[in-house]
Amino acid sequence: MSIRVSIVSTRTGDDGTTGLGDKTRVPKDAPRITALGDVDELNSAIGLWRTEALPAEVDALLNRIQHDLFDLGGELCIPDWTALKNEHVLRLDEALAHYNAELGPLQEFILPGGSRAAAHAHMARTIARRAERSVVTLARQETVNPPVLHYLNRLSDLCFVLARYLNRAAGVPDTLWERDDQR
């Protein structure tokens, strides 16, 4: 393995810009950097989620997703470079079908919570939605590889399904929303 970063603090960002993978410099609040930061935060949230006791198959899936998100971030960091393909989205679709098949139909809206692992899944879900919105903003200004948007959309859905699955595995009921007149 080669060393990719030897100096972490270069001070080149002190002027409010940051470097992309193609060596161009852009403002730190540019849509591309916002999207990249949101994807990085999502990857970190999944890393935190993985510190919980999870079924081995869920942990393996999340490990794969973390690697995909790193590739997705690389794609955002290097304009005109493609890392994600439709196959990545299909893997999420397959995982969605697998875990959703074990759950009953939704009877009511579900609030974030339940077990700690499910709560982490809900946090990752909301960060995935934010990352998706950031990429949509970027796509209004620059070309974005369609599987990037599809991946983030499916991932947020998968996080929701995994939250329900993990609650069921832990024997914890989902936290159901109650209308004001039901409380």
Side-chain angles (χ1 to χ4, degrees), residues 10-20 23-30 33:
T10 62
R11 295 181 176 84
T12 57
D14 288 352
D15 66 353
T17 65
T18 191
L20 295 177
K23 307 293 185 206
T24 60
R25 296 201 64 79
V26 297
K28 288 187 177 185
D29 62 351
I33 301 307

Side-chain angles (χ1 to χ4, degrees), residues 61 64-65 68 72 83-97 145-155 157-158:
L61 173 63
R64 178 78 184 252
I65 288 167
D68 290 348
L72 191 157
L84 257 64
K85 300 183 176 23
N86 289 327
E87 294 78 34
H88 292 90
V89 178
L90 286 174
R91 279 198 302 267
L92 293 184
D93 283 333
E94 290 167 1
L96 269 164
N145 178 23
V148 169
L149 279 169
H150 303 165
Y151 191 92
L152 292 169
N153 184 274
R154 295 308 190 293
L155 180 54
D157 292 342
L158 179 59

